[in-house]
Amino acid sequence: MLRQRTLSTVVSTKGIGLHSGRLVEITLRPAEPNTGIVFHRTDLDPVVTIPAQAQYVGGTTMASVLQKDGVRVSTVEHLMSALAGLGIDNLHIDISAEEVPIMDGSAGTFVYLLRSAGLQEQSVAKQFLRVLKPIEVREGEGDQVKWARLEPYDGYCLQFSIDFQHPAIDATANFAEVDFAKDSYVKTVARARTFGFASEVEAMRAAGLARGGSLDNAIVMDEFRVLNADGLRYEDEFVKHKILDAIGDLYLIGHPLVARYVACKSGHGLNNQLARALLAASDSWELVTYTEEAPASVPYVREWKHAY
């Protein structure tokens, strides 16, 4: 059978919060089977624990924010994406402030950190959530419409379309598809960085956002071009980052998905609405396990086998 996973050992790192600008230390610890992903605010007395689950998302303005009893853990999507990509089911995450560090703006640093700790298979079967009926959420109308949908699929595939009407983005691909039957999360998705516009920085910082943002942890654009000296990592890095975010947001469902995700101009808010709508429609999904003899239909299985 395909088994649940955690880390082999404890690993820690420090970094800056993208929106808070604060230095934060994060420690990743192995967890018992069926624990799930759990955040612990260790800077508080007593320590506050927040499960990484869609129902605890209390904010989605430029990040996915977990919230419980007034306590927040912000910007969880890149780390959650890395955990999904490496098939990690159970983990304790100790964090010394309210925001997960942004690192280089992608999930790549977290992938490196997780792999450096080593991955440990556990004795319990991994449970997948298989979508049985389409679920869709929408916002806006006409040219302003945004939507996201989950539909039945024998594997895990994500399709995303963007439309930012900016020269630097229009010059790249505005559509991407990642199918984990053939695409590697680490090679295809993990290094895609978050992005923003220099013209919006002042207003964002006045609103308490992007205080830790820089060319070291984001793609930044002026009115016409990318300002980062090293350019883009992928030709379609902008839309690939939206897929990276979606993988992290959807992992808050609590299980790896067997489904196709299709979205147009979606973001953290719609992704969370979609996750909640799916969980609320109990006839639209089922939990399944897989034997080693049926790997072709299982998302990420190739990645997991080579992730040690």
Side-chain angles (χ1 to χ4, degrees):
M1 65 181 178
L2 293 179
R3 302 174 186 272
Q4 293 183 22
R5 279 186 167 187
T6 188
L7 294 188
S8 298
T9 189
V10 177
V11 65
S12 298
T13 192
K14 294 180 180 180
I16 298 295
L18 173 63
H19 296 302
S20 67
R22 293 181 57 188
L23 180 66
V24 56
E25 182 173 3
I26 187 168
T27 298
L28 311 178
R29 299 185 285 115
E32 293 297 314
N34 298 320
T35 299
I37 311 300
V38 185
F39 286 87
H40 306 276
R41 282 286 303 275
T42 56
D43 56 316
L44 302 177
D45 187 12
V47 171
V48 175
T49 294
I50 308 178
Q53 297 176 7
Q55 62 265 37
Y56 288 103
V57 173
T60 54
T61 301
M62 303 195 71
S64 286
V65 182
L66 299 173
Q67 189 166 328
K68 179 185 174 186
D69 300 330
V71 175
R72 293 159 46 97
V73 176
S74 179
T75 320
V76 302
E77 58 272 10
H78 298 172
L79 176 54
M80 292 299 298
S81 186
L83 295 175
L86 294 183
I88 297 174
D89 304 274
N90 305 302
L91 192 69
H92 292 294
I93 303 169
D94 298 336
I95 185 168
S96 68
E98 74 166 37
E99 187 175 15
V100 175
I102 190 62
M103 310 313 285
D104 72 344
S106 75
T109 306
F110 292 122
V111 167
Y112 176 83
L113 187 69
L114 293 162
R115 282 180 156 179
S116 71
L119 307 185
Q120 179 66 51
E121 284 198 343
Q122 299 175 292
S123 59
V124 177
K126 184 189 293 286
Q127 287 191 314
F128 297 82
L129 190 150
R130 181 164 62 191
V131 172
L132 303 175
K133 298 178 181 179
I135 296 287
E136 182 173 300
V137 293
R138 303 175 75 89
E139 287 183 358
E141 297 179 356
D143 293 341
Q144 302 303 312
V145 69
K146 303 176 181 180
W147 55 270
R149 181 172 68 245
L150 284 167
E151 57 192 34
Y153 185 71
D154 190 21
Y156 193 27
C157 177
L158 299 98
Q159 299 176 345
F160 208 107
S161 300
I162 59 174
D163 180 13
F164 281 92
Q165 298 182 352
H166 184 282
I169 297 178
D170 291 345
T172 71
N174 56 20
F175 171 83
E177 176 181 278
V178 175
D179 189 330
F180 290 107
K182 57 184 178 62
D183 296 315
S184 161
Y185 173 85
V186 173
K187 295 179 180 179
T188 306
V189 177
R191 297 182 67 248
R193 294 163 293 176
T194 192
F195 55 93
F197 306 96
S199 61
E200 299 176 354
V201 169
E202 185 175 343
M204 291 171 61
R205 289 181 173 168
L209 300 169
R211 292 176 177 175
S214 72
L215 292 172
D216 294 327
N217 55 38
I219 304 169
V220 182
M221 292 162 282
D222 63 14
E223 295 179 356
F224 304 105
R225 69 190 192 284
V226 171
L227 299 180
N228 303 64
D230 57 349
L232 299 179
R233 294 176 175 176
Y234 307 114
E235 292 182 359
D236 54 358
E237 187 168 2
F238 298 108
V239 68
K240 281 287 181 61
H241 186 78
K242 300 295 285 185
I243 289 176
L244 183 155
D245 278 348
I247 291 170
D249 290 340
L250 294 174
Y251 203 41
L252 294 171
I253 286 171
H255 298 277
L257 288 173
V258 179
R260 188 200 309 273
Y261 166 86
V262 187
C264 177
K265 298 185 284 187
S266 184
H268 301 301
L270 271 180
N271 290 339
N272 183 247
Q273 289 180 39
L274 182 62
R276 289 174 182 248
L278 175 69
L279 292 172
S282 58
D283 64 339
S284 68
W285 55 271
E286 65 179 356
L287 293 178
V288 297
T289 59
Y290 291 92
T291 66
E292 292 288 359
E293 286 71 37
S297 62
V298 180
Y300 300 128
V301 69
R302 293 180 186 175
E303 197 83 63
W304 293 341
K305 287 183 176 180
H306 298 89
Y308 289 96

